[in-house]
Amino acid sequence: MARLNAIPGVPVLIACLAILLIWDLLSRVVMVSGLPPPWGALQEVPVILTDKESLVNILASLRRMSIGFSLAVAFAVPVGLLMGRSRLVAAFFNPLFMIIYPVPKAALMPIIMLWLGVGEMSKILVIFLGVSLPVIYHSYQGSKAVEEKMLWSAAAMGLGPMARLLRVVFPAALPEIMVGCRTGVVLALITMVTSEMIARQTGIGNIFFNALDMAQYDTVYAMIIVIGILGFLCDWGFEAVRRMLLGWAAPVHDIAVGSA
Amino acid sequence: MSALHAVWRRNISETLAGALPIVLALGIWYVISAWNFAPASLLPSPVTVFRRFLVLLGDPQFLQNAGATLYRLFVGFGIAVMLGIGIGILAAGNRTVAALMQPVIRVLAPVPKIALYPALVLMFGFDHSSKIALVVADALFPILLATYQGAVAVDPKLVWSARAAGASQTRCLFTIVLTAALPSILTGARIGLIIACIVVFLAEMILSTDGLGQLLVRAARNFQTVDMFVPIIAISMLGLLLNAAFNMLSKRLLVGFPSQN
Amino acid sequence: MATDMIKIAGVSKVYDTTQRGRHVALGDISIDIAEGQFVSILGPSGCGKSTLLYILGGFVEATTGQVLVNGQKVTGPGPDRGPVFQEFALFPWKTVLGNVMYGPLQQGLSKEAATARARELLVLVHLQNYEGFYPKELSGGMKQRVALARTLAYGPKILLMDEPFGALDAYTRTRLQNELLDIWGRDRKTVMFVTHSVEEAVFLSDRVFVMTKSPGHIRKVFDIDLPRPRVRAELLLDRRYQDYVIAIERLMDEQIEEIA
């Protein structure tokens, strides 16, 4: 068991099988109403992934997600780094972010749609809002923790303030930034799914509610599996990238969960 | 004396700097609506919105919806706290449980729980239970992970000291390890609480017959812009209040612990 | 009187580290300690002397060999063996009084009796005026006094002291050594004292076991034949004390040369 667990991927596979097994037991032995056995849903997964319309829907959603995520990172990292190095900048933004923190970002969808219409802009903006805060927070923490003496040495070597921020603070804070990005990418997916479930116009949310309306329950569950796999892949892919870039840093255990 | 003065001055200027963006945002909002840059149907004036908020605070129907939201939030959060702390501590005390739990969590933690909501509605119906189940699913993981990580990080010598004094292993787990992990557990629970607050609102927006989230959707359908803002402000203020209350509770519970940042 | 209270027979400890294979922390150790003796284990850092103490305490399991206390095999921690750690390991959420009461309460004493017992011990360690303080409000020396009182409170027959004064400044260290001898002189518990300070070991002990570098073996045993009660200022002038210190220092120098 222990040796099997050491092979990468095996524990995850076992975990997936265990989840499916529990699902199966719940549906057939406990007979939870509204819960079909997993096999029908599993068979539906390739159907969704080969159906042209749903594939277009999913890809469009992923595209919005990556644009929103990239924009958020591009905005959040510099803001976070500056906050960590300047007390004034931190004092300026902190109360604002504290107020924004408990606002359900995906819930802004109806208002944003009122302003920007139902197009891509609204959806990307909501994802941007959902991702920004955790990335700012982690960049801020990372940059705040950079050792002062490291900056003194850099200054002594003749680096100006901009160069110090770019060449000392940024790499030193990178492990923490990556933690923020990992949380952020999962949050991007969550916000994307949530806002589309609220808007019900296109994308993943559309597939969901079409299936619900037509009582195609296997499709509903298959969609959950697809989104679940997406979530796991986002997280796992980011962790892989992080390990590749930051072999030197100690592994960071973070609570990579959040909500839109 | 002058050093103290300088600290004071810095504190004041930092408070002012912090208030600036908030005042600015409210000011711009006010100016846009007051000078008719945007029609009131798109962006009502902040004064109208807050006045409406105060009116609704006395409206029994609004309060009933808010009550439904609060009920789901607290029941779900309570279940998540019990499950999260229980499973987390068990996993910290037992290697087999930990080995079983870790991969399952790695798979389930990054899954957007909101996607489960349609299934939860199919299983539990439109009423409270489906929303409570979703809150549990969403708030559970931060609490569970924080408990487990906090408990694993407890200095073994603390446990040894208790064991030598005659406490049994199980007793140690639930008195010493659990208490020593409390700072981490409370951090996780605070994150879980805010998540619960957000997710119950979202669930009510997606499929519900009542609750604050449903009020927002209903207002959007009827193009009552003012009534769209009020639920969002209500849930955000609730989140802020709960956050502050939780911090106060934490401070009381963590007497004796070294202060955290 | 000279019954062997502690019999350590052929104890070794091997750690299975997954990445670097096996690490032998402790060689083959056999020691007998008579009742009422103050014994020090002296060795360079990483020689496994603390591990030996943890095995005796029942906190860590030996890979081979066994430990007998009063003829009983050690299978786990017990109130007959009280540990005092370098890191104090006080319960941060309990007050000084609460920490010291913990043992008596676990032993089934009533709250009143436990309070009375704890107060007695706080007088013994000169902390009667600090019972309402939390550990974080105390200095290192005071924390270690509380830890000692907490352990003494449940009346162990054997004290297991793991570099207890290692984290303290020189002045506090000397004071606590004197206080420890004072307390020990009252009821002559059996003490196993782990340290890397030669002077400390000679000053406190009846016997000093000198260990080799990792994996630790017992290199030599010194019977410290110095009169008690011991007074530091007098001992420093005592030829016999000087000879012990010099002989042990030489032995430890030899080890360093052997490695180099």
Side-chain angles (χ1 to χ4, degrees):
Chain A
M1 177 75 183
R3 210 173 303 156
L4 215 60
N5 258 337
I7 307 167
V10 168
V12 165
L13 266 179
I14 295 175
C16 291
L17 285 177
I19 293 166
L20 286 178
L21 198 74
I22 293 171
W23 178 353
D24 193 53
L25 284 178
L26 282 179
S27 67
R28 285 200 306 194
V29 181
V30 190
M31 305 252 270
V32 176
S33 63
L35 183 70
W39 317 118
L42 277 177
Q43 279 164 1
E44 202 64 25
V45 171
V47 176
I48 294 177
L49 290 182
T50 49
D51 177 58
K52 198 149 174 241
E53 198 191 336
S54 43
L55 203 60
V56 166
N57 266 327
I58 292 172
L59 286 178
S61 294
L62 285 178
R63 198 182 72 99
R64 287 192 286 269
M65 190 184 128
S66 9
I67 295 175
F69 173 75
S70 311
L71 288 176
V73 169
F75 164 75
V77 172
V79 171
L81 289 182
L82 280 174
M83 281 173 71
R85 296 319 315 169
S86 156
R87 282 183 66 123
L88 194 69
V89 177
F92 183 80
F93 282 116
N94 263 333
L96 181 69
F97 291 155
M98 205 188 83
I99 290 181
I100 296 177
Y101 169 58
V103 177
K105 314 296 177 299
L108 299 174
M109 200 59 190
I111 294 177
I112 291 176
M113 285 193 330
L114 202 64
W115 294 341
L116 303 178
V118 289
E120 295 288 286
M121 274 283 279
S122 323
K123 290 164 194 160
I124 292 172
L125 180 62
V126 169
I127 295 169
F128 173 87
L129 290 174
V131 176
S132 293
L133 269 193
V135 182
I136 289 178
Y137 175 78
H138 284 281
S139 311
Y140 171 44
Q141 294 299 329
S143 130
K144 204 164 70 171
V146 173
E147 217 172 310
E148 204 72 33
K149 280 171 193 145
M150 209 144 75
L151 290 170
W152 292 352
S153 331
M157 286 183 256
L159 264 66
M162 261 321 275
R164 284 205 296 268
L165 197 66
L166 225 68
R167 290 176 52 190
V168 182
V169 176
F170 176 68
L174 200 54
E176 189 65 32
I177 293 176
M178 290 300 283
V179 174
C181 288
R182 187 177 166 192
T183 314
V185 82
V186 174
L187 266 176
L189 182 69
I190 294 175
T191 317
M192 186 262 284
V193 173
T194 313
S195 60
E196 288 184 3
M197 283 172 81
I198 289 171
R200 299 192 190 186
Q201 306 276 347
T202 49
I204 284 168
N206 191 33
I207 304 178
F208 251 133
F209 286 100
N210 271 343
L212 261 185
D213 288 344
M214 292 190 278
Q216 296 168 330
Y217 296 152
D218 278 342
T219 310
V220 173
Y221 282 94
M223 248 348 257
I224 293 174
I225 295 175
V226 170
I227 293 171
I229 292 172
L230 273 179
F232 176 75
L233 283 181
C234 282
D235 187 55
W236 174 82
F238 229 89
E239 176 58 17
V241 171
R242 191 194 69 79
R243 236 178 291 166
M244 223 163 60
L245 283 177
L246 300 167
W248 53 271
V252 193
H253 299 285
D254 190 60
I255 307 164
V257 277
S259 190
Chain B
M1 197 57 200
S2 73
L4 197 69
H5 198 73
V7 169
W8 259 100
R9 256 213 327 245
R10 197 169 60 192
N11 279 344
I12 291 171
S13 64
E14 278 180 5
T15 312
L16 285 178
L20 193 64
I22 298 165
V23 172
L24 216 62
L26 284 174
I28 292 173
W29 179 7
Y30 182 78
V31 166
I32 288 178
S33 55
W35 294 358
N36 278 324
F37 287 123
S41 59
L42 286 187
L43 186 69
S45 140
V47 180
T48 323
V49 171
F50 281 108
R51 206 173 282 155
R52 179 78 181 140
F53 180 60
L54 289 180
V55 168
L56 283 179
L57 276 186
D59 178 53
Q61 210 198 337
F62 180 84
L63 290 179
Q64 206 179 345
N65 281 300
T69 303
L70 278 175
Y71 173 75
R72 293 159 186 163
L73 163 63
F74 283 123
V75 173
F77 177 67
I79 295 174
V81 165
M82 285 190 289
L83 280 180
I85 295 179
I87 300 173
I89 285 288
L90 278 182
N94 187 309
R95 270 189 212 174
T96 321
V97 176
L100 287 173
M101 191 198 74
Q102 263 165 347
V104 175
I105 286 185
R106 260 210 80 197
V107 173
L108 290 184
V111 170
K113 265 40 117 224
I114 194 89
L116 295 177
Y117 187 56
L120 294 174
V121 171
L122 285 180
M123 282 187 265
F124 298 112
F126 280 90
D127 207 22
H128 293 315
S129 349
S130 55
K131 280 125 207 135
I132 290 172
L134 182 66
V135 170
V136 173
D138 242 316
L140 175 66
F141 287 95
I143 302 172
L144 172 57
L145 286 171
T147 305
Y148 176 67
Q149 284 166 6
V152 168
V154 169
D155 182 358
K157 281 164 192 169
L158 227 52
V159 178
W160 295 353
S161 298
R163 294 274 282 126
S168 72
Q169 200 141 22
T170 326
R171 202 193 167 87
C172 268
L173 196 59
F174 287 101
T175 56
I176 305 300
V177 176
L178 185 68
T179 319
L182 205 56
S184 174
I185 293 174
L186 288 175
T187 306
R190 195 174 52 88
I191 296 173
L193 183 60
I194 299 298
I195 288 179
C197 203
I198 290 174
V199 85
V200 72
F201 190 81
L202 293 174
E204 287 168 352
M205 283 182 73
I206 293 168
L207 267 180
S208 184
T209 49
D210 57 355
L212 288 175
Q214 183 55 29
L215 287 185
L216 167 53
V217 174
R218 221 177 286 163
R221 246 178 246 144
N222 301 327
F223 296 103
Q224 291 166 328
T225 325
V226 181
D227 284 356
M228 288 170 70
F229 279 84
V230 174
I232 286 192
I233 290 172
I235 196 76
S236 305
M237 281 189 23
L238 182 67
L240 276 179
L241 281 176
L242 288 177
N243 196 31
F246 201 89
N247 280 339
M248 258 158 58
L249 178 76
S250 295
K251 214 173 268 178
R252 292 198 63 168
L253 286 178
L254 294 182
V255 164
F257 283 93
S259 60
Q260 308 195 294
N261 52 327
Chain C
M1 221 13 221
T3 48
D4 282 340
M5 179 131 201
I6 302 170
K7 271 184 98 67
I8 297 173
V11 163
S12 71
K13 179 71 192 175
V14 180
Y15 285 104
D16 265 324
T17 48
T18 40
Q19 277 150 15
R20 298 212 181 96
R22 287 148 51 88
H23 168 68
V24 182
L26 201 59
D28 183 20
I29 305 264
S30 295
I31 297 178
D32 294 335
I33 299 171
E35 185 170 358
Q37 256 194 346
F38 199 121
V39 166
S40 283
I41 311 283
L42 187 65
S45 51
C47 75
K49 53 189 192 296
S50 292
T51 308
L52 180 64
L53 194 91
Y54 301 158
I55 290 171
L56 180 50
F59 310 127
V60 171
E61 234 176 290
T63 312
T64 65
Q66 62 173 0
V67 178
L68 298 177
V69 170
N70 268 336
Q72 294 272 329
K73 197 173 174 223
V74 167
T75 53
D80 53 337
R81 288 149 289 141
V84 178
F85 299 107
Q86 180 179 6
E87 303 87 345
F88 321 127
L90 295 171
F91 305 128
W93 60 92
K94 287 183 188 288
T95 59
V96 167
L97 188 68
N99 267 284
V100 183
M101 277 170 69
Y102 184 79
L105 284 177
Q106 290 301 320
Q107 295 300 310
L109 259 65
S110 72
K111 213 174 164 190
E112 292 74 28
T115 312
R117 172 92 182 123
R119 292 216 165 106
E120 256 170 57
L121 280 148
L122 286 177
V123 172
L124 186 69
V125 297
H126 313 296
L127 284 175
Q128 60 272 36
N129 295 329
Y130 291 89
E131 60 172 56
F133 282 57
Y134 284 97
K136 71 167 178 186
E137 297 165 317
L138 305 178
S139 69
M142 289 158 107
K143 279 184 202 162
Q144 198 53 288
R145 285 201 186 96
V146 178
L148 181 62
R150 180 180 66 178
T151 298
L152 290 173
Y154 51 87
K157 296 196 196 73
I158 301 169
L159 276 182
L160 303 174
M161 308 192 80
D162 178 24
E163 300 191 39
F165 308 141
L168 307 176
D169 62 85
Y171 171 75
T172 312
R173 193 181 176 128
T174 320
R175 267 190 67 180
L176 279 180
Q177 286 169 0
N178 289 332
E179 282 180 31
L180 176 64
L181 276 191
D182 197 41
I183 290 169
W184 179 75
R186 294 172 191 226
D187 54 0
R188 299 250 167 167
K189 287 180 193 302
T190 311
V191 179
M192 182 147 145
F193 192 99
V194 166
T195 179
H196 56 245
S197 156
V198 177
E199 286 90 347
E200 185 171 69
V202 175
F203 175 63
L204 295 171
S205 318
D206 298 318
R207 301 177 88 189
V208 176
F209 291 85
V210 181
M211 284 180 71
T212 58
K213 238 185 120 103
S214 171
H217 294 273
I218 301 294
R219 170 98 176 194
K220 203 166 175 186
V221 187
F222 289 84
D223 283 302
I224 309 295
D225 186 17
L226 292 170
R228 291 189 190 267
R230 293 177 185 170
V231 180
R232 179 176 307 272
E234 287 170 17
L235 275 187
L236 287 173
L237 287 169
D238 192 319
R239 191 57 204 264
R240 287 170 298 174
Y241 172 80
Q242 295 165 0
D243 286 345
Y244 284 127
V245 172
I246 292 164
I248 296 173
E249 292 279 9
R250 285 224 172 98
L251 190 69
M252 294 181 82
D253 281 346
E254 272 172 38
Q255 283 189 36
I256 293 168
E257 276 159 31
E258 278 164 23
I259 289 158

